[in-house]
mmCIF file of all heavy atoms in Angstrom:
data_model
loop_
_atom_site.group_PDB
_atom_site.id
_atom_site.type_symbol
_atom_site.label_atom_id
_atom_site.label_comp_id
_atom_site.label_asym_id
_atom_site.label_seq_id
_atom_site.Cartn_x
_atom_site.Cartn_y
_atom_site.Cartn_z
ATOM 1 N N CYS A 192 75.694 94.711 99.639
ATOM 2 C CA CYS A 192 74.835 95.532 100.497
ATOM 3 C C CYS A 192 73.514 95.906 99.760
ATOM 4 O O CYS A 192 72.511 96.169 100.389
ATOM 5 C CB CYS A 192 75.521 96.782 100.929
ATOM 6 S SG CYS A 192 75.878 97.900 99.576
ATOM 7 N N ARG A 193 73.519 95.943 98.463
ATOM 8 C CA ARG A 193 72.360 96.215 97.637
ATOM 9 C C ARG A 193 71.872 97.669 97.718
ATOM 10 O O ARG A 193 70.758 97.914 97.284
ATOM 11 C CB ARG A 193 71.191 95.270 97.854
ATOM 12 C CG ARG A 193 71.560 93.819 98.058
ATOM 13 C CD ARG A 193 72.333 93.183 96.964
ATOM 14 N NE ARG A 193 71.558 92.868 95.801
ATOM 15 C CZ ARG A 193 72.092 92.325 94.697
ATOM 16 N NH1 ARG A 193 73.375 92.092 94.656
ATOM 17 N NH2 ARG A 193 71.392 92.047 93.667
ATOM 18 N N ASN A 249 69.187 95.868 112.530
ATOM 19 C CA ASN A 249 69.936 95.335 113.639
ATOM 20 C C ASN A 249 71.083 96.246 114.100
ATOM 21 O O ASN A 249 71.901 95.865 114.869
ATOM 22 C CB ASN A 249 70.449 93.951 113.303
ATOM 23 C CG ASN A 249 69.413 92.921 113.532
ATOM 24 O OD1 ASN A 249 68.797 92.860 114.575
ATOM 25 N ND2 ASN A 249 69.221 92.040 112.564
ATOM 26 N N ARG A 278 60.101 100.405 111.946
ATOM 27 C CA ARG A 278 58.866 99.614 112.081
ATOM 28 C C ARG A 278 59.220 98.292 112.781
ATOM 29 O O ARG A 278 58.442 97.394 112.860
ATOM 30 C CB ARG A 278 58.292 99.304 110.675
ATOM 31 C CG ARG A 278 57.884 100.521 109.958
ATOM 32 C CD ARG A 278 57.203 100.212 108.660
ATOM 33 N NE ARG A 278 58.181 99.742 107.657
ATOM 34 C CZ ARG A 278 57.859 99.202 106.495
ATOM 35 N NH1 ARG A 278 56.636 99.013 106.170
ATOM 36 N NH2 ARG A 278 58.822 98.828 105.664
ATOM 37 N N TYR A 279 60.445 98.215 113.250
ATOM 38 C CA TYR A 279 60.957 96.997 113.856
ATOM 39 C C TYR A 279 60.719 97.011 115.367
ATOM 40 O O TYR A 279 61.145 97.938 115.995
ATOM 41 C CB TYR A 279 62.420 96.832 113.539
ATOM 42 C CG TYR A 279 63.084 95.539 113.917
ATOM 43 C CD1 TYR A 279 62.710 94.344 113.296
ATOM 44 C CD2 TYR A 279 64.110 95.507 114.872
ATOM 45 C CE1 TYR A 279 63.344 93.156 113.674
ATOM 46 C CE2 TYR A 279 64.738 94.343 115.214
ATOM 47 C CZ TYR A 279 64.352 93.166 114.581
ATOM 48 O OH TYR A 279 64.948 91.989 114.940
ATOM 49 N N GLU A 281 61.126 94.195 117.529
ATOM 50 C CA GLU A 281 61.795 93.132 118.339
ATOM 51 C C GLU A 281 63.165 93.574 118.817
ATOM 52 O O GLU A 281 63.630 94.666 118.519
ATOM 53 C CB GLU A 281 61.929 91.866 117.474
ATOM 54 C CG GLU A 281 60.658 91.080 117.376
ATOM 55 C CD GLU A 281 59.646 91.656 116.412
ATOM 56 O OE1 GLU A 281 60.047 92.548 115.607
ATOM 57 O OE2 GLU A 281 58.479 91.264 116.421
ATOM 58 N N GLY A 327 73.511 83.779 108.060
ATOM 59 C CA GLY A 327 72.365 84.643 108.134
ATOM 60 C C GLY A 327 72.621 85.813 109.074
ATOM 61 O O GLY A 327 73.713 86.360 109.125
ATOM 62 N N ASP A 328 71.572 86.228 109.853
ATOM 63 C CA ASP A 328 71.793 87.401 110.682
ATOM 64 C C ASP A 328 72.586 87.047 111.961
ATOM 65 O O ASP A 328 72.827 87.889 112.780
ATOM 66 C CB ASP A 328 70.472 88.115 111.023
ATOM 67 C CG ASP A 328 69.476 87.225 111.684
ATOM 68 O OD1 ASP A 328 69.839 86.070 112.024
ATOM 69 O OD2 ASP A 328 68.326 87.620 111.894
ATOM 70 N N HIS B 365 64.902 81.998 107.385
ATOM 71 C CA HIS B 365 65.714 82.799 108.281
ATOM 72 C C HIS B 365 66.964 82.057 108.693
ATOM 73 O O HIS B 365 68.061 82.551 108.682
ATOM 74 C CB HIS B 365 64.854 83.202 109.524
ATOM 75 C CG HIS B 365 65.625 83.931 110.543
ATOM 76 N ND1 HIS B 365 65.306 83.943 111.876
ATOM 77 C CD2 HIS B 365 66.705 84.737 110.445
ATOM 78 C CE1 HIS B 365 66.149 84.670 112.537
ATOM 79 N NE2 HIS B 365 67.028 85.134 111.731
ATOM 80 N N SER B 368 69.363 81.580 105.500
ATOM 81 C CA SER B 368 69.943 82.671 104.747
ATOM 82 C C SER B 368 71.452 82.732 104.970
ATOM 83 O O SER B 368 71.918 82.570 106.080
ATOM 84 C CB SER B 368 69.297 83.996 105.199
ATOM 85 O OG SER B 368 70.064 85.096 104.754
ATOM 86 N N SER B 373 72.151 92.203 102.289
ATOM 87 C CA SER B 373 71.350 92.716 103.395
ATOM 88 C C SER B 373 69.830 92.441 103.324
ATOM 89 O O SER B 373 69.253 92.121 104.370
ATOM 90 C CB SER B 373 71.636 94.166 103.590
ATOM 91 O OG SER B 373 72.137 94.784 102.474
ATOM 92 N N GLU B 377 68.565 90.390 106.712
ATOM 93 C CA GLU B 377 67.781 91.069 107.741
ATOM 94 C C GLU B 377 66.277 90.810 107.515
ATOM 95 O O GLU B 377 65.551 90.640 108.512
ATOM 96 C CB GLU B 377 68.014 92.602 107.685
ATOM 97 C CG GLU B 377 69.505 92.992 107.727
ATOM 98 C CD GLU B 377 70.159 92.733 109.056
ATOM 99 O OE1 GLU B 377 69.426 92.405 110.006
ATOM 100 O OE2 GLU B 377 71.385 92.834 109.148
ATOM 101 N N LYS B 384 60.037 86.996 112.750
ATOM 102 C CA LYS B 384 59.661 87.519 114.093
ATOM 103 C C LYS B 384 58.230 88.049 114.035
ATOM 104 O O LYS B 384 57.467 87.853 115.018
ATOM 105 C CB LYS B 384 60.649 88.633 114.498
ATOM 106 C CG LYS B 384 61.921 88.057 115.012
ATOM 107 C CD LYS B 384 63.034 89.098 115.117
ATOM 108 C CE LYS B 384 64.378 88.403 115.334
ATOM 109 N NZ LYS B 384 65.462 89.282 115.030
ATOM 110 N N ARG B 388 55.033 86.501 116.148
ATOM 111 C CA ARG B 388 54.185 87.342 116.927
ATOM 112 C C ARG B 388 52.684 87.123 116.595
ATOM 113 O O ARG B 388 51.871 86.917 117.502
ATOM 114 C CB ARG B 388 54.554 88.811 116.612
ATOM 115 C CG ARG B 388 54.292 89.771 117.692
ATOM 116 C CD ARG B 388 55.078 91.053 117.415
ATOM 117 N NE ARG B 388 54.608 91.736 116.218
ATOM 118 C CZ ARG B 388 55.359 92.606 115.611
ATOM 119 N NH1 ARG B 388 56.586 92.811 115.935
ATOM 120 N NH2 ARG B 388 54.856 93.223 114.569
ATOM 121 N N ASP B 404 54.925 94.383 102.738
ATOM 122 C CA ASP B 404 55.894 95.363 102.309
ATOM 123 C C ASP B 404 57.281 94.822 102.397
ATOM 124 O O ASP B 404 58.122 95.022 101.499
ATOM 125 C CB ASP B 404 55.735 96.616 103.160
ATOM 126 C CG ASP B 404 56.536 97.767 102.608
ATOM 127 O OD1 ASP B 404 56.335 98.052 101.436
ATOM 128 O OD2 ASP B 404 57.326 98.364 103.336
ATOM 129 N N ASN B 412 65.616 91.792 94.910
ATOM 130 C CA ASN B 412 66.729 92.669 95.279
ATOM 131 C C ASN B 412 67.928 91.929 95.828
ATOM 132 O O ASN B 412 68.825 92.543 96.375
ATOM 133 C CB ASN B 412 66.258 93.745 96.232
ATOM 134 C CG ASN B 412 65.303 94.706 95.599
ATOM 135 O OD1 ASN B 412 65.194 94.792 94.369
ATOM 136 N ND2 ASN B 412 64.545 95.388 96.414
#
Side-chain angles (χ1 to χ4, degrees):
Chain A
C192 67
R193 319 304 283 179
N249 277 311
R278 297 184 287 170
Y279 187 65
E281 281 77 14
D328 57 7
Chain B
H365 175 206
S368 165
S373 23
E377 309 290 351
K384 282 168 192 160
R388 206 162 69 202
D404 192 53
N412 292 343

